[in-house]
Amino acid sequence: MANTFYGLRLPSALMLGTAQYPSPAVMAQSFRESGASVATVSLRRESAEAAGQSFWEIIRELGVLILPNTAGCHTAKEAVTTAHMAREIFDTAWIKLEVIGHADTLQPDIFELVEAARILSNEGFQVFPYTTDDLIVGERLLEAGCQILMPWAAPIGSGQGLINEYGLRAMRAQFPDISLVVDAGIGLPNHAARAMELGFDAVLVNSAVARADDPPAMACAMMRAVEAGKLGRQAGPIAVRDMAEASTPVIGKAFLS
Amino acid sequence: MQISINGTVHDVKATNLDELLSECGYTTDRLATAVNETFVPRAQRSTTELTANDRVEILAPMQGG
């Protein structure tokens, strides 16, 4: 069902990543400013200094839902194994499924993605698939058991915004009852607002906040943008016209010429 | 015997995965393990025997987008 995330209604439509902040303190402050209720995290080799445990303590104190990813995986097998490990560490059935197919664009390998989604869904995972705006791939992911689709707006970290708005609008129309999240490519608050105006259920942002000059300020801007876009959608925008339509009444205008 | 742990070869005395974690100082539960690219759940670590040249991965929470 749209606007739910495997049965959960989230208090905020903004999801926030945890990577690339200048410091843990800035990350924590950014989360507080964003109002985000979901944090994406990853798994990496534990260091001798137990850096992973320190990071976990910071995340735990944020009091947000955890969405582990399979970032960096290139095959279904690798992603499935990573998901198994993530479930044990984070004690959640949620998994943001990423299977990367192209080194430069980080475009998902949709064939491996669908295969991994099927395996994980059958095992009880609640899969958030990082995908493209391809409608047929979306259909396949839903058939595989996904209840959410997370299309990219643009390549990860590129900040280009919604480079194929038509494709995202078509997804909303094609899947009216499925929760849709824009995942990747957001650079500015207006990008996030636009995604919400299109009827998306949430926006996931990381680089645009973490790499901003002032991450907490950008986090706050993204939060307001998401809320504005969502409210604008709910308010019912006017239809776009080619020609002007006077807003000031014509009746009662003085004859002065 | 020699075991690869997170990509670095170590000479260890441990004979199973649980012992390996203890020997290498991994004391927290907030870890996940794999041996030779296969996930090993926490409950199976003590019964997962190691052999020379096994490749062990020990993963922990990390920043991610």
Side-chain angles (χ1 to χ4, degrees), chain A residues 86-102:
Chain A
R87 182 166 60 178
E88 183 158 272
I89 286 184
F90 296 109
D91 196 26
T92 176
W94 282 14
I95 189 74
K96 179 172 175 256
L97 184 60
E98 298 183 31
V99 188
I100 299 302
H102 192 278

Side-chain angles (χ1 to χ4, degrees), chain A:
Chain A
M1 188 170 73
N3 203 29
T4 65
F5 301 84
Y6 290 99
L8 284 183
R9 286 192 180 277
L10 301 177
S12 167
L14 182 61
M15 301 179 179
L16 196 57
T18 58
Q20 299 185 306
Y21 293 86
S23 72
V26 171
M27 181 191 75
Q29 181 63 20
S30 299
F31 266 87
R32 285 191 286 273
E33 294 291 335
S34 75
S37 49
V38 173
T40 56
V41 297
S42 71
L43 295 180
R44 288 294 180 265
R45 287 169 167 173
E46 180 62 305
S47 65
E49 300 78 26
Q53 310 311 311
S54 304
F55 170 69
W56 173 248
E57 289 305 315
I58 296 168
I59 292 297
R60 201 165 56 88
E61 290 178 3
L62 295 176
V64 296
L65 293 165
I66 302 299
L67 177 56
N69 69 29
T70 62
C73 292
H74 289 79
T75 66
K77 179 179 182 297
E78 191 180 11
V80 167
T81 301
T82 302
H84 288 155
M85 299 176 86
R87 182 166 60 178
E88 183 158 272
I89 286 184
F90 296 109
D91 196 26
T92 176
W94 282 14
I95 189 74
K96 179 172 175 256
L97 184 60
E98 298 183 31
V99 188
I100 299 302
H102 192 278
D104 292 331
T105 64
L106 300 182
Q107 181 170 343
D109 181 327
I110 50 92
F111 304 99
E112 295 288 316
L113 175 70
V114 171
E115 175 63 15
R118 180 174 293 108
I119 293 168
L120 292 171
S121 296
N122 287 340
E123 293 179 352
F125 281 88
Q126 295 173 334
V127 178
F128 293 61
Y130 161 64
T131 183
T132 66
D133 51 33
D134 188 299
L135 298 180
I136 309 308
V137 176
E139 294 276 10
R140 296 291 183 271
L141 288 166
L142 297 179
E143 289 168 7
C146 298
Q147 296 178 25
I148 289 172
L149 297 174
M150 299 181 76
W152 64 352
I156 293 171
S158 71
Q160 296 184 62
L162 282 55
I163 59 175
N164 183 16
E165 185 175 307
Y166 162 79
L168 298 177
R169 199 165 56 239
M171 285 194 87
R172 183 67 289 171
Q174 179 73 13
F175 307 114
D177 300 323
I178 299 297
S179 285
L180 299 178
V181 182
V182 162
D183 174 16
I186 298 294
L188 293 168
N190 79 70
H191 302 154
R194 186 61 185 147
M196 297 303 292
E197 287 171 353
L198 293 176
F200 273 65
D201 298 282
V203 174
L204 199 165
V205 180
N206 191 160
S207 303
V209 169
R211 286 165 37 203
D213 288 344
D214 185 341
M218 186 61 83
C220 181
M222 288 293 179
M223 178 265 286
R224 294 181 184 182
V226 165
E227 289 183 353
K230 182 178 180 179
L231 191 56
R233 168 81 174 188
Q234 292 170 344
I238 64 168
V240 175
R241 296 166 50 95
D242 284 334
M243 296 299 162
E245 182 179 24
S247 53
T248 302
V250 175
I251 296 173
K253 180 183 178 299
F255 183 75
L256 300 174
S257 60

